[in-house]
Each structure stands twice: as structure tokens, then as C-alpha cells.
């Protein structure tokens, strides 16, 4: 269906895609993944013909209808319903022709084609798609210009899905969606009967929808069968194989270098030494796969506080004299992990702003602990960063009076160490800017984090790092997110914001998913308050145990890395004394062998500690 043949793209003198080659099976659903800035959107632009590669080509059957969302959102006086219907250009043209055609033969052909493309069921299909993406009947009839940019992009997505192309290309389709619309989209894509290529960092979408993963790394693409979990397993095996091959090659290279150094000067062995030197020159180095050391989130833990942090008692909140939410009764304790559920526009952000003290109650009471501080993250903070400043300048302004070391330490917790702290914000990716915004809001170790869609622009690895950081954080957390993987791993309380109220949802996230998709009438009201309290205590205890296990894993990993480096230094001294450090160069071979044996023993012990802690952590998280 779609073949990538040696695609090479250079932008600004940098190679983005380097002979990328892959064959996508017909009617496959492919997840295109890679770290932020890897070139995913560039590759997709090549697929749709928006960007000509410097070398290589894309091969697909003739007359393939390719669908892709334009960067500009639709606008004007037309309604979402009219805009979506107009997206099927063939249907619109045939209907117009049927009104003016007087040739009976041609008119018969037109109606035959209209029947073939289900033209008369189109209005119902268009309405269902819009409804799934959050537009009720009244909203479907409003002018486009009455909507925000995010809602207009939903109309663009609905138009694309309605047009039913042979090759459907989606670039982060859930970025403008809430959890409910994201679940509907997954359901729609699972039943789509043509080829799909979707750029996404949503682990659940990649597991539930796609049947292949196309991984883009260092300009190359690799196709893996299965969803994201299957990709992770296969890639881990591949990394282990590459690293083992790299280590074997390093040992062989050291032996060859040692032989050449010892035998080049002897007449009897010069020929053999010369032969080995040629073999050494031809040996292509196997590059070990290096993980990005900047992938880091560490939230500073706040001082211990007595519960409750916040209580709402029959509170109402809104804008001007119009309440959005009423009769709010909510208590938040220091160990709470709360996810706010509900469609966009129902008041989740309004409730978040109330908890962050950006809004005050119109009625009722809100009581907050006097010592409580809040770190509130929104996408606006990411967009408002000064692109001409560096992360160091941003943090220095916010941490007035702090020492340069303290400023650097806070930036380092979020991956901005060394030169990364002095890059201009304008050169940072969206994910890096989000990390900087998170670093800024947590600089004073807040008692509670309120995160409104924190995963937008974060790749899968960064999201996983954020989940781990939140589970290690000792304060309260309130999350608004369409990332079910994050909600499932972080939240132990669900609050449903709907119909002007915000009430505890006592079911599970799976119950809520089934309810949204119409699989179950469950309202999640089965659990008692005592059960919920016990569940929260158990979740908090599990988080604390996980935190100590993660620390044990990290300590063991660092010990293994240090010991591996020591072993490599000793081996260099054994096989290539000329390149060894002075202290090793002075040691005899027997001393070096003894030191290497000691290191091997310590390395085995560290590996055993790492395996034990990793197994315990995996068992705890699976429980």
C-alpha cells in the first residue's frame, strides 16, 4: 500500500531523515513514533507530497485518496455540520449535478454513484462523527467563527474522518480532544477499513488501535508488528543485542590493537600484524544505543502538612455573575491523587482554577490550609515563555535571592543541566518547553500540583518519566488529562465534572470508559465511602513502597554504570596500555587482573540488587 524508499531530508543543513525505508502492509494501522524533534511530522509531510525529499521516494497505488488535516483550522459562517458534509467533495459535486442534469443516461449514472458511496446516509454519518467529537445537536448548527481554535480543529478532524480517504494520516489527533472524545476516536479508528498512519504519544491509543509501530530514530525507521507494548518488548531485546555486539566488538578491537602494537616491529610477525591492522581499519563500529540523559522529571517534595489541604462547602464558581459549577463539596488531603473527568466545556479548568485560588467562590465556602502552596500548570504557561530568554534566565527571575547553585539544581531536576540551561527557549521543542514550565511552577516545592493537560507535546518516554515523578512526589496531585495511561497509574480518586456539578465518581476508569462508549449504564456509585478511604490509603502506601523500590533501582543502576566504566578502564590498560590512564599504566598485569576480578564481583552483586528491586517494583505495580 505504502512504501518508503530511501527517504532523505535535510533541513537547515541538518539531516532529519537518512535513507528511511519501510514497507507498510495494505490496510494496516501504523503508529509513527519517536522522540520529540525526531522528524515524525517531516516524514508525514513527505508522505502527503507537501515536502519533496532530497533523495528517495514514496510509492503508493495510483488514485490513492490521501487525507491529512491542514494546519489552518476551518473558519467562516458555515456550521460544523455543513463543513463536514462539504468534505466529501465527490458527493457534493454529484448532488449538484443531479439538480441540473437533464440527460437521463447521465442522471442514472449519477444516482448509481450516489448510492454506491452511501450519499443519502451521509448527513447521519456526519452528525454521528461530530457528536463523538463533542458537538451536540445545537453546537453542530452554530457558525464556525463562534468556536475557539481547539474546537475548530475538531471540526477539521471530523471532516477528515467523514471523507474516508484510502490513506488516513493523523498528526497528534488527540491533542485538542478531551478524554471522552479520545475514547470515541479510538473506537472509530479501530473499525476504519483503510490504511492509517498516526503520529501519537498516547500509549493507550497505540495499544488499542494500531497493529504496527514505525519507530523513527536518528533519521532511520524500523517497522515492528503489534502495538506499543509489543514494540517496547521487541526494542528492549534489540537494544540488548546491539549492546552485546558492541561490547564483543570492543573486546575484539582491543585484542587486535594489542597484537599490532606488540608485533609490528618484529620481522617474523610484521606481516601478520599488518594483516590485523587492515582488519582493524575495515571494522565498522557498532554504535551502542544511548538513551537521552535529559529525560528527567523530579518534583521537589514539600514539607509535611496536616489534612485537609482544601475543603469546599456548597461552593459555587464561575465568571462574572454566571456560575459554571454549583453546590461543590470536596475535600483534598495531602496524599490525594485526583483526576478530573468530564467533557471539555463542562468546567474542569474552572474547578482547577478555583483550587489554585485563581478564582474565588461566588457562594459557599472554600477553606485552605494557611501554609499550603500550589503549583498550577496549564498550556498557557508553555505558550507564554519568553522565546528570547534561556531556561537559566527564566528560573533566575523566578527564584529571586536563590544562589546560582540552587537555580541550576532546580533546572537539573528537569533535564536542563550544563549547556541545555543556556539554550534559547525559542530553540526548544514543545516537550522541552513543557518541562521548563513544570520546573518553574515547582521551584518552591508546592504542597499540591494541579496539572491541566500536562502531557500535550510530551513523547511517550517523557510521559512515562512524568508518571514516575508524580508517583514519587509526596504532595497532593490534581490532574486534568486525556491520557488514560497517566490517569490509571497516578490517580486513585476520580471526580466527574458534569451538568454544573463536581462529584466523586466511585467506579473505576474502565467503568467510566464503558459508560462513555455506551457499553454499560454504570454510574460508578457502587463503592462505599469506607471502601474509598481504604483504597486511597492502600494507594498511598503502595506509592511510598514504589518510591523506595525506584530509589533502590536507581542506586543499583548508578553503581552498575560506575563499575562498568571502571572495568572498561582496567581492560583498556590490559589490552591497550598506550591509551590507559597513568595510574593504570603503572600497574602490573597481575594487579590489573586482580582489580578486574574485584570489579566483576561487585558488578554481579549490583546486578543482583538491581534485579531484585526491579522484580519487586514490577510485581508491586502489577498488583
Amino acid at each position: 500500500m505504502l512504501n518508503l524508499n530511501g527517504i532523505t531530508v535535510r533541513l537547515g543543513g541538518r539531516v532529519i531523515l537518512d535513507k528511511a525505508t519501510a514497507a507498510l502492509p495494505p490496510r494496516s494501522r501504523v503508529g509513527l513514533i519517536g522522540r520529540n524533534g525526531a522528524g515524525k511530522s517531516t516524514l508525514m509531510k513527505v508522505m502527503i507530497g507537501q515536502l519533496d525529499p532530497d533523495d528517495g521516494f514514496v510509492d503508493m497505488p495510483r488514485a490513492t485518496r490521501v487525507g491529512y488535516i491542514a494546519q489552518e483550522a476551518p473558519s467562516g459562517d458555515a456550521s460544523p455540520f455543513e463543513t463536514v458534509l462539504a468534505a466529501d467533495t465527490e458527493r457534493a459535486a454529484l448532488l449538484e449535478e443531479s439538480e441540473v442534469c437533464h440527460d437521463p443516461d447521465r442522471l442514472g449514472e449519477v444516482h448509481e454513484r450516489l448510492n454506491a458511496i452511501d450519499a443519502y446516509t451521509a448527513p447521519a454519518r456526519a452528525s454521528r462523527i461530530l457528536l463523538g467529537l463533542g458537538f451536540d445537536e445545537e453546537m453542530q448548527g452554530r457558525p464556525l467563527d463562534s468556536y475557539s481554535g481547539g474546537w475548530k480543529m475538531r471540526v477539521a478532524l471530523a471532516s477528515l474522518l467523514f471523507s474516508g480517504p484510502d490513506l488516513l494520516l493523523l498528526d497528534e489527533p488527540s491533542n485538542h480532544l478531551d478524554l471522552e472524545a479520545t475514547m470515541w476516536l479510538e473506537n472509530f479508528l479501530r473499525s476504519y477499513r483503510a490504511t492509517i498512519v498516526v503520529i501519537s504519544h498516547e500509549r493507550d491509543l497505540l495499544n488499542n488501535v494500531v497493529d504496527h509501530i514505525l519507530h523513527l530514530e536518528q533519521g532511520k525507521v524500523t517497522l515492528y508488528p503489534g502495538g506499543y507494548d509489543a514494540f517496547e518488548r521487541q526494542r528492549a531485546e534489540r537494544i540488548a543485542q546491539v549492546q552485546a555486539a558492541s561490547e564483543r566488538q570492543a573486546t575484539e578491537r582491543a585484542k587486535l590493537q594489542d597484537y599490532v602494537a606488540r608485533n609490528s616491529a618484529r620481522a617474523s610477525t610484521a606481516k601478520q600484524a599488518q594483516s590485523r591492522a587492515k582488519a582493524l581499519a575495515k571494522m565498522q563500529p557498532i554504535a551502542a544505543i544511548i538513551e537521552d540523559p535529559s529525560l528527567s522529571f523530579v518534583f521537589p517534595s514539600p514539607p509535611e502538612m496536616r489534612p485537609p489541604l482544601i475543603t469546599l462547602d456548597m461552593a459555587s464558581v464561575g465568571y462574572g455573575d454566571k456560575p459554571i459549577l454549583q453546590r461543590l463539596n470536596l475535600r483534598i488531603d495531602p496524599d490525594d491523587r485526583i483526576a478530573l473527568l468530564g467533557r471539555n466545556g463542562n468546567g474542569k479548568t474552572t474547578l482547577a482554577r478555583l483550587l489554585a485560588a485563581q478564582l474565588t467562590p461566588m457562594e459557599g465556602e472554600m477553606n485552605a490550609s494557611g501554609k499550603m502552596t500550589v503549583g498550577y500548570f496549564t498550556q498557557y504557561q508553555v505558550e507564554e515563555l519568553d522565546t528570547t530568554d534561556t531556561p537559566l534566565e527564566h528560573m533566575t527571575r523566578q527564584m529571586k535571592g536563590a544562589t546560582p547553585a540552587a537555580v541550576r539544581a532546580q533546572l537539573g531536576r528537569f533535564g536542563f543541566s550544563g549547556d541545555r540551561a543556556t539554550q534559547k527557549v525559542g530553540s526548544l521543542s514543545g516537550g522541552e518547553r513543557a518541562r521548563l514550565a513544570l520546573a518553574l511552577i515547582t521551584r518552591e516545592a508546592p504542597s499540591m500540583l494541579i496539572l491541566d493537560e500536562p502531557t500535550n507535546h510530551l513523547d511517550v518516554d517523557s510521559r512515562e518519566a512524568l508518571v514516575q515523578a508524580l508517583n514519587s512526589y509526596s504532595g497532593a496531585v490534581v490532574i486534568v488529562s486525556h491520557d488514560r495511561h497517566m490517569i490509571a497509574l497516578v490517580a486513585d480518586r476520580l471526580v466527574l465534572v458534569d451538568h454544573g456539578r463536581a462529584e466523586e465518581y466511585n467506579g473505576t476508569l474502565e467503568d467510566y470508559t464503558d459508560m462513555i462508549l455506551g457499553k454499560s449504564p454504570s454510574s460508578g456509585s457502587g463503592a462505599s465511602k469506607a471502601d474509598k478511604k481504604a483504597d486511597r490509603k492502600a494507594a498511598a502506601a503502595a506509592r511510598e513502597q514504589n518510591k523506595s523500590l525506584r530509589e533502590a533501582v536507581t542506586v543499583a543502576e548508578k553503581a552498575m554504570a560506575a563499575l562498568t566504566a571502571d572495568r572498561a578502564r582496567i581492560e583498556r590498560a590490559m589490552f591497550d596500555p598506550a591509551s590507559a590512564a597513568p595510574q593504570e599504566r603503572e600497574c602490573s598485569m597481575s594487579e590489573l587482573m586482580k582489580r578486574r576480578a574485584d570489579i566483576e564481583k561487585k558488578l554481579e552483586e549490583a546486578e543482583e540488587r538491581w534485579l531484585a528491586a526491579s522484580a519487586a517494583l514490577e510485581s508491586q505495580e502489577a498488583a
Side-chain angles (χ1 to χ4, degrees):
M1 174 63 192
L2 177 67
N3 295 324
L4 307 175
N5 298 282
I7 304 296
T8 299
V9 174
R10 299 177 185 86
L11 296 175
R14 187 166 70 95
V15 176
I16 306 298
L17 301 173
D18 184 13
K19 298 179 182 177
T21 301
L24 308 188
R27 294 182 179 272
S28 56
R29 297 191 296 271
V30 179
L32 175 53
I33 69 167
R35 294 299 307 275
N36 287 335
K40 301 183 295 295
S41 296
T42 300
L43 180 56
M44 190 164 277
K45 287 175 183 175
V46 172
M47 291 181 189
I48 63 173
Q50 201 176 86
L51 179 66
D52 291 328
D54 295 293
D55 195 12
F57 61 95
V58 176
D59 183 29
M60 68 179 76
R62 285 187 178 182
T64 298
R65 293 183 304 117
V66 179
Y68 180 75
I69 295 180
Q71 289 188 343
E72 288 188 12
S75 59
D77 295 330
S79 67
F81 180 73
E82 292 166 339
T83 303
V84 171
L85 275 179
D88 189 340
T89 54
E90 182 186 11
R91 173 185 176 275
L94 289 170
L95 286 174
E96 186 177 343
E97 186 178 355
S98 71
E99 295 292 329
V100 297
C101 181
H102 300 294
D103 180 349
D105 292 335
R106 175 55 188 161
L107 196 58
E109 291 173 359
V110 168
H111 282 292
E112 187 176 338
R113 182 58 183 163
L114 285 168
N115 284 326
I117 64 173
D118 290 332
Y120 301 108
T121 64
R125 284 188 286 114
S127 183
R128 280 199 302 272
I129 291 173
L130 282 166
L131 186 64
L133 292 176
F135 293 86
D136 60 27
E137 189 174 347
E138 185 271 333
M139 293 174 70
Q140 291 181 27
R142 286 190 218 159
L144 282 172
D145 283 347
S146 66
Y147 288 102
S148 67
W151 283 96
K152 287 179 180 179
M153 290 308 296
R154 290 195 190 202
V155 176
L157 176 59
S159 300
L160 176 60
L161 299 178
F162 176 75
S163 68
D166 303 315
L167 174 60
L168 176 62
L169 300 172
L170 299 169
D171 191 346
E172 290 286 3
S174 59
N175 259 6
H176 300 285
L177 304 182
D178 50 29
L179 175 60
E180 293 72 13
T182 299
M183 291 190 292
W184 177 89
L185 177 64
E186 283 184 18
N187 216 34
F188 182 93
L189 294 178
R190 269 200 301 268
S191 60
Y192 197 76
R193 296 182 180 178
T195 301
I196 300 172
V197 178
V198 55
I199 296 174
S200 179
H201 300 305
E202 301 279 347
R203 182 185 286 260
D204 285 303
L205 186 149
L206 293 169
N207 276 324
N208 297 337
V209 172
V210 309
D211 50 34
H212 286 78
I213 293 290
L214 186 63
H215 183 225
L216 176 55
E217 183 178 43
Q218 296 179 349
K220 308 288 188 182
V221 290
T222 307
L223 189 66
Y224 296 84
Y228 189 82
D229 288 347
F231 153 76
E232 272 200 330
R233 288 193 298 272
Q234 294 172 76
R235 184 161 185 261
E237 292 169 4
R238 178 170 166 264
I239 288 173
Q241 291 168 358
V242 170
Q243 288 177 335
S246 178
E247 288 171 5
R248 284 196 301 272
Q249 188 188 66
T251 302
E252 181 64 22
R253 181 182 289 275
K255 288 179 180 176
L256 289 171
Q257 287 173 335
D258 180 57
Y259 186 92
V260 171
R262 286 188 291 104
N263 295 283
S264 293
R266 297 180 190 172
S268 59
T269 57
K271 191 172 182 181
Q272 293 92 325
Q274 189 177 19
S275 174
R276 282 165 173 74
K278 287 179 180 178
L280 189 62
K282 290 179 180 178
M283 189 180 287
Q284 293 296 319
I286 299 171
I289 296 173
I290 301 172
E291 297 299 326
D292 186 351
S294 71
L295 188 65
S296 175
F297 292 94
V298 180
F299 296 115
S301 289
E304 213 171 300
M305 295 195 66
R306 295 171 59 186
L309 291 180
I310 293 178
T311 55
L312 297 176
D313 184 11
M314 297 300 287
S316 298
V317 64
Y319 305 92
D321 57 357
K322 182 183 177 183
I324 302 297
L325 299 171
Q326 297 177 290
R327 301 172 65 82
L328 298 173
N329 293 296
L330 184 66
R331 169 177 167 144
I332 301 178
D333 289 339
D335 61 349
D336 272 332
R337 297 290 196 277
I338 299 172
L340 303 184
L341 307 178
R343 289 192 177 275
N344 281 358
N346 282 3
K348 299 190 299 293
T349 295
T350 300
L351 177 56
R353 293 187 65 194
L354 174 66
L355 297 175
Q358 290 191 359
L359 295 174
T360 55
M362 299 168 69
E363 293 180 358
E365 292 185 0
M366 172 175 161
N367 295 306
S369 173
K371 296 180 180 179
M372 185 191 72
T373 54
V374 175
Y376 182 34
F377 173 90
T378 72
Q379 287 301 312
Y380 296 114
Q381 291 164 322
V382 179
E383 293 161 7
E384 290 170 0
L385 291 170
D386 189 333
T387 57
T388 63
D389 278 351
T390 66
L392 184 59
E393 289 167 333
H394 275 282
M395 191 62 72
T396 301
R397 277 199 303 272
Q398 295 292 331
M399 295 179 67
K400 291 179 181 176
T403 64
V407 172
R408 287 273 188 177
Q410 175 63 5
L411 286 169
R413 291 187 181 102
F414 292 81
F416 295 101
S417 55
D419 293 342
R420 289 178 178 269
T422 54
Q423 283 182 294
K424 295 292 184 186
V425 169
S427 68
L428 301 179
S429 69
E432 288 171 324
R433 295 186 196 194
R435 263 196 284 132
L436 176 56
L438 286 165
L440 290 167
I441 66 159
T442 59
R443 64 191 183 277
E444 294 177 353
S447 319
M448 179 167 69
L449 291 177
I450 302 176
L451 308 178
D452 195 342
E453 295 294 358
T455 61
N456 280 2
H457 307 298
L458 294 183
D459 57 41
V460 186
D461 293 336
S462 297
R463 292 179 185 211
E464 204 64 32
L466 178 57
V467 166
Q468 292 179 15
L470 287 172
N471 284 335
S472 298
Y473 170 68
S474 60
V477 177
V478 177
I479 304 176
V480 179
S481 178
H482 60 263
D483 189 327
R484 271 170 294 160
H485 180 71
M486 166 168 280
I487 293 174
L489 290 181
V490 172
D492 49 49
R493 286 178 65 190
L494 304 176
V495 171
L496 179 56
V497 182
D498 194 21
H499 294 101
R501 304 289 297 275
E503 298 178 331
E504 202 90 12
Y505 183 82
N506 295 326
T508 64
L509 189 58
E510 289 75 18
D511 293 333
Y512 184 70
T513 300
D514 289 344
M515 183 178 74
I516 291 301
L517 296 177
K519 296 180 182 177
S520 164
S522 168
S523 63
S525 58
S528 69
K529 288 186 177 180
D531 290 339
K532 284 163 47 191
K533 188 173 182 180
D535 288 345
R536 287 202 300 273
K537 283 187 176 179
R543 277 197 304 273
E544 190 60 34
Q545 185 174 353
N546 286 356
K547 181 180 177 181
S548 62
L549 288 171
R550 282 197 187 89
E551 288 173 353
V553 169
T554 301
V555 168
E557 284 176 345
K558 287 180 178 178
M560 288 162 61
L563 289 166
T564 301
D566 289 345
R567 183 179 64 183
R569 197 173 64 249
I570 297 298
E571 288 177 344
R572 192 181 303 119
M574 292 169 66
F575 298 114
D576 187 13
S579 66
Q583 59 269 34
E584 273 84 32
R585 213 180 300 153
E586 296 170 0
C587 295
S588 66
M589 182 60 73
S590 60
E591 287 175 325
L592 290 172
M593 291 177 67
K594 183 178 182 302
R595 286 174 61 181
R596 188 182 186 282
D598 290 341
I599 290 171
E600 284 286 359
K601 185 179 179 182
K602 290 177 182 177
L603 189 56
E604 284 180 13
E605 292 170 352
E607 285 175 347
E608 286 176 6
R609 292 196 301 274
W610 179 83
L611 284 170
S614 297
L617 180 60
E618 187 175 336
S619 173
Q620 182 70 18
E621 289 181 339

